[in-house]
Amino acid sequence: MPNQDILDLQPTHIQELQNRYDQALTEHGYDSLLIASGAAPYRYRDDQTYVFQGFGPFLHWTGLAGQEHSWLLIRPGHKPVLWLYQPVDFWHANPAMPEEPWQEVVEVRSRQQPGAPELDNPGRLAVIGDPLVLDGVPGEHNPAALVAAVEETRVRKTPYEIECLAHANRIALAGHNAARDAFLAGDSEFGINLAYQQATGQREAEAPYHSIIGLNEHAGTLHYQYYDVQPPRRPRSLLIDAGVRYRGYCSDITRTTAGPGESRFAALVHGLEKLQLRLCEMVAPGVDYVDIHRKAHQGIAALLSASGLVSGLSDEAIVEQGISRAFFPHGIGHFLGIQVHDVAGKLTPPPEDAPFLRLTRTLEEGMVVTIEPGLYFIPSLLEPVLNGPQAKYLNRSLLDELQGCGGIRIEDNVAVTASGTRNLTREWV
Ligand code: GLY
Ligand code: MN
Ligand code: MN
């Protein structure tokens, strides 16, 4: 959807936010809510700060991810007030404030001081935000029940939010295509990162998370965080997990590419992608997300059998005996929104067979989730199996061969619609 069409949806989004917040505040007995955008803390004994990304509820209203020391006041039945920190400063520039429709329904006041504004007659006041910026601010700080209610307002995305997420996918996919081309041209992890940033037009500090770019065995570290400047002698695989922010909203996409001549690995990538697409299609209202996670394990077991990595066991036994978990140790995904791992996914704790699952809810229209199965060759997880009674089921020489490819993850961003699913990532291919 073009930019202007997305913006046209914004007033309805803000109206819906106002309704949801009014309801949350009334239910919890508060007259006003002050939201702190936050500020990057200084590093210990240093005059440099950590990289800043704003507090979720502040972004939910404004989309301004880089706006420090600003405050937003919400009161049921009143126009919200935003105090925007805009100091006269010859060291730093103030962030640009693109004109957007939300500013017509929010009173914007410019401010020179970083601290919280003084409020006239706030009544019973809650203040939410990073505790580091709340010292000395009057009101109840981060009351748990209200914070949970505010987080719940982010669970079912408005049409505006879904289009922002779709747009964030579109931009990131241009980066993924450039990254794949750079890999196939023989670039290093560092070079691939440059290609990604060039194509997305977004510096890494603004992205929702540091891009994970792993060649060869690095692809087997789930959140691999370094970039080799030299390409490997034999580029066997690329795993890139990278997104962008668009008006505060995140994409979170992973693609895996086999290097030239890696036909066995390429076949596994193809098999995992087919499984991933089937899992995406399971997304629909009323579906328990934990069931999608369990289906992923069954599919991975089938892939392990079909590829000959595991033999002599039924697919069910591969799952029951924990072998699929040695290859796929993380959860099938999470909520996505203005945080990459968006809030309120675990109203109940994850089940014992899925300890890292970040989302345990039944899906509802408007939720946006990731679907990201993986199949990795991680020495610290495979060695206990190879040194135990189940070793006889594993094909050690095939594992040895594939170990140097690291692993596979394929991740899309999927919205739950009234009748099923909308894959926000595959719309742009
Ligand atoms: N990019 C982190 C994740 O996929 O959850
Ligand atoms: Mn990811
Ligand atoms: Mn993810």
Side-chain angles (χ1 to χ4, degrees):
M1 192 181 266
N3 224 13
Q4 187 54 49
D5 291 0
I6 299 176
L7 276 185
D8 288 346
L9 297 171
Q10 202 185 56
T12 320
H13 165 70
I14 296 292
Q15 185 56 54
E16 178 61 24
L17 268 194
Q18 183 83 58
N19 295 344
R20 293 181 191 180
Y21 268 66
D22 284 3
Q23 190 181 344
L25 286 169
T26 308
E27 272 177 23
H28 292 271
Y30 291 94
D31 301 302
S32 348
L33 171 67
L34 188 62
I35 303 172
S37 71
Y42 283 90
R43 296 177 189 153
Y44 180 57
R45 292 190 63 73
D46 197 345
D47 64 358
Q48 303 296 307
T49 61
Y50 292 98
V51 173
F52 178 72
Q53 297 207 348
F55 180 47
F58 185 84
L59 268 69
H60 203 190
W61 285 86
T62 66
L64 301 173
Q67 184 72 48
E68 295 180 271
H69 299 296
S70 296
W71 303 81
L72 179 66
L73 179 68
I74 310 293
R75 283 170 302 168
H78 292 77
K79 201 171 183 176
V81 184
L82 170 65
W83 285 270
L84 209 56
Y85 182 56
Q86 293 180 315
V88 177
D89 178 0
F90 56 84
W91 292 102
H92 303 105
N94 290 317
M97 249 265 285
E99 271 183 35
E100 293 191 3
W102 64 262
Q103 291 149 27
E104 286 158 28
V105 287
V106 173
E107 183 186 336
V108 181
R109 301 184 189 167
S110 182
R111 198 172 140 78
Q112 294 281 314
Q113 299 80 22
E118 270 180 38
L119 304 177
D120 292 331
N121 303 319
R124 188 175 175 208
L125 169 69
V127 187
I128 62 171
D130 183 343
L132 286 176
V133 299
L134 301 191
D135 239 10
V137 178
E140 296 172 42
H141 291 185
N142 292 316
L146 182 67
V147 168
V150 164
E151 291 188 342
E152 193 62 25
T153 67
R154 285 160 59 183
V155 167
R156 281 158 291 271
K157 269 69 182 176
T158 61
Y160 167 74
E161 295 182 283
I162 291 186
E163 292 308 328
C164 285
L165 289 161
H167 203 78
N169 268 264
R170 180 182 196 165
I171 300 167
L173 272 177
H176 278 269
N177 290 339
R180 185 202 52 226
D181 292 349
F183 165 66
L184 293 174
D187 242 331
S188 66
E189 291 164 351
F190 187 79
I192 293 167
N193 184 47
L194 292 182
Y196 181 85
Q197 289 191 42
Q198 177 74 37
T200 57
Q202 189 161 88
R203 60 199 287 191
E204 204 170 34
E206 288 165 7
Y209 56 96
H210 279 190
S211 301
I212 298 161
I213 299 175
L215 297 183
N216 296 1
E217 51 282 304
H218 293 165
T221 299
L222 300 182
H223 286 174
Y224 178 70
Q225 72 272 47
Y226 304 113
Y227 297 144
D228 276 358
V229 177
Q230 295 299 329
R233 245 181 333 107
R234 178 180 160 205
R236 302 188 61 191
S237 62
L238 163 69
L239 186 154
I240 170 167
D241 180 343
V244 300
R245 250 186 216 286
Y246 172 73
R247 289 212 181 89
Y249 289 87
C250 307
S251 46
D252 178 12
I253 302 171
T254 310
R255 291 291 180 260
T256 307
T257 306
E262 296 291 342
S263 53
R264 273 188 203 279
F265 185 68
L268 272 181
V269 174
H270 181 65
L272 193 79
E273 180 154 22
K274 277 187 12 198
L275 168 64
Q276 193 263 359
L277 288 170
R278 287 204 305 277
L279 298 171
C280 288
E281 281 179 5
M282 282 181 72
V283 169
V287 171
D288 182 350
Y289 192 71
V290 177
D291 285 345
I292 304 181
H293 177 81
R294 295 202 171 118
K295 263 284 192 287
H297 270 278
Q298 289 165 18
I300 283 160
L303 202 51
L304 291 171
S305 293
S307 62
L309 280 162
V310 178
S311 45
L313 277 180
S314 68
D315 295 349
E316 291 71 29
I318 292 174
V319 176
E320 273 161 25
Q321 295 190 22
I323 295 176
S324 59
R325 257 173 76 185
F327 289 92
F328 172 43
H330 58 76
I332 189 61
H334 47 84
F335 275 151
L336 182 73
I338 45 188
Q339 283 165 226
V340 60
H341 298 153
D342 216 5
V343 291
K346 284 195 284 192
L347 300 184
T348 54
E352 234 171 73
D353 61 334
F356 299 121
L357 194 56
R358 292 186 168 99
L359 172 56
T360 57
R361 295 177 62 153
T362 298
L363 298 178
E364 294 171 46
E365 182 182 356
M367 290 176 169
V368 177
V369 301
T370 68
I371 297 291
E372 48 180 305
L375 196 168
Y376 311 88
F377 306 102
I378 303 174
S380 62
L381 299 181
L382 290 176
E383 267 154 28
V385 187
L386 287 167
N387 293 326
Q390 295 159 327
K392 58 180 180 287
Y393 303 122
L394 266 63
N395 183 334
R396 192 183 282 262
S397 65
L398 191 50
L399 277 176
D400 285 346
E401 184 199 322
L402 290 169
Q403 195 105 49
C405 293
I408 309 166
R409 180 163 66 254
I410 298 172
E411 177 176 21
D412 287 352
N413 306 162
V414 180
V416 187
T417 63
S419 58
T421 171
R422 175 178 167 197
N423 189 323
L424 305 177
T425 313
R426 305 269 173 174
E427 288 178 338
W428 313 108
V429 284

